[in-house]
Amino acid sequence: SVGAHDIEFNSDGTKMFVASYNRDTVREYALSTAFDLTTMSYTREITLTTALSTNIQGLTFNNDGTKLFVIELFGGIAEYHLTTGYDLSTASYDSFIQLSSTQKEQDINFNDDGTKMYTIGWGSDQIRQYTLSTGFDISTRSNSYSSFYMGSQDGLPAGMTFSNNGTRLFVTGDGTNRIIEYSLSTAYDITTATHVGTTSVASQTTYPESIAFNNAGTKMYVIEKANSNVLEY
């Protein structure tokens, strides 16, 4: 099985990407109608054994899709460069960093200019926020981080994403089978996050792993690992 764990779209919704922890790959799909899952077809996948050996959990891109970042369970993050944005066939390995192995990392994200990097893990039920002196260059990250504890909402946080302007944060809770929403009084600063509410997805899945939206925020996608399904709301 795929072992689907994270979902991302390209900027216009004509491509979808899935991180697979069973296959240790990132898979690329084409959507003939943007953000419409019924028009999806499989394109290719790339194996990530260059730096990441196992337990691939999360992926994200820079703004134009020329950099791919993949995180694995024990804190390894690999950076790949794509000569054509969002085209996995043009990806080549660039660099690797190692974070704490006890955090049990689940997903990776950036702010809009790549100067902040976020990881989420169920080892501490935290989102951790790192500063990058050069945007989208993981080798320039700070060793220290700010953290936001969300264990009172869910003990198995899995995936995370921001709204376009960084003032809303959404987390998939694998423990309670819910989508958890936070408001950030300062955009992209997780230390200013407050809990807004939750939405249950338990009637659709008991393994919600990650979340994505279309550009307008009018469609929500949840990927679940039990059957490797993508659910659209």
Side-chain angles (χ1 to χ4, degrees), residues 23-212:
R23 300 173 63 85
D24 297 321
T25 62
V26 173
R27 297 168 69 87
E28 178 185 326
Y29 298 83
L31 285 74
S32 56
T33 301
F35 293 110
D36 183 349
L37 295 181
T38 65
T39 69
M40 181 184 75
S41 60
Y42 170 76
T43 305
R44 64 177 62 87
E45 70 179 351
I46 59 169
T47 303
L48 302 167
T49 51
T50 305
L52 304 176
S53 57
T54 187
N55 291 299
I56 305 301
Q57 302 292 305
L59 78 142
T60 194
F61 291 91
N62 68 343
N63 294 334
D64 63 3
T66 57
K67 289 187 177 183
L68 165 68
F69 305 88
V70 183
I71 193 166
E72 53 95 28
L73 182 65
F74 302 108
I77 302 174
E79 178 179 325
Y80 296 81
H81 289 186
L82 290 72
T83 52
T84 302
Y86 297 110
D87 181 348
L88 292 185
S89 69
T90 70
S92 59
Y93 169 72
D94 179 75
S95 56
F96 176 84
I97 60 171
Q98 180 67 49
L99 304 180
S100 166
S101 61
T102 61
Q103 168 75 345
K104 300 297 186 289
E105 304 287 8
Q106 298 289 288
D107 203 358
I108 180 172
N109 222 307
F110 291 91
N111 67 342
D112 51 353
D113 64 3
T115 57
K116 290 182 180 179
M117 181 182 78
Y118 312 87
T119 68
I120 186 169
W122 52 258
S124 62
D125 300 331
Q126 285 182 353
I127 297 173
R128 294 181 174 179
Q129 175 179 304
Y130 298 83
T131 299
L132 283 69
S133 56
T134 301
F136 295 109
D137 181 350
I138 59 174
S139 68
T140 70
R141 90 189 188 288
S142 57
N143 289 319
S144 60
Y145 57 83
S146 304
S147 62
F148 173 66
Y149 176 75
M150 49 155 304
S152 50
Q153 281 82 55
D154 195 286
L156 287 172
M160 62 174 289
T161 195
F162 290 97
S163 61
N164 290 338
N165 61 5
T167 60
R168 295 270 166 161
L169 168 67
F170 303 88
V171 173
T172 48
D174 210 344
T176 59
N177 306 315
R178 297 186 300 181
I179 308 300
I180 307 157
E181 181 179 344
Y182 301 89
S183 175
L184 285 72
S185 55
T186 301
Y188 293 111
D189 183 352
I190 60 166
T191 64
T192 69
T194 55
H195 180 224
V196 174
T198 58
T199 298
S200 176
V201 293
S203 59
Q204 289 87 49
T205 178
T206 54
Y207 296 99
E209 295 302 326
S210 190
I211 181 173

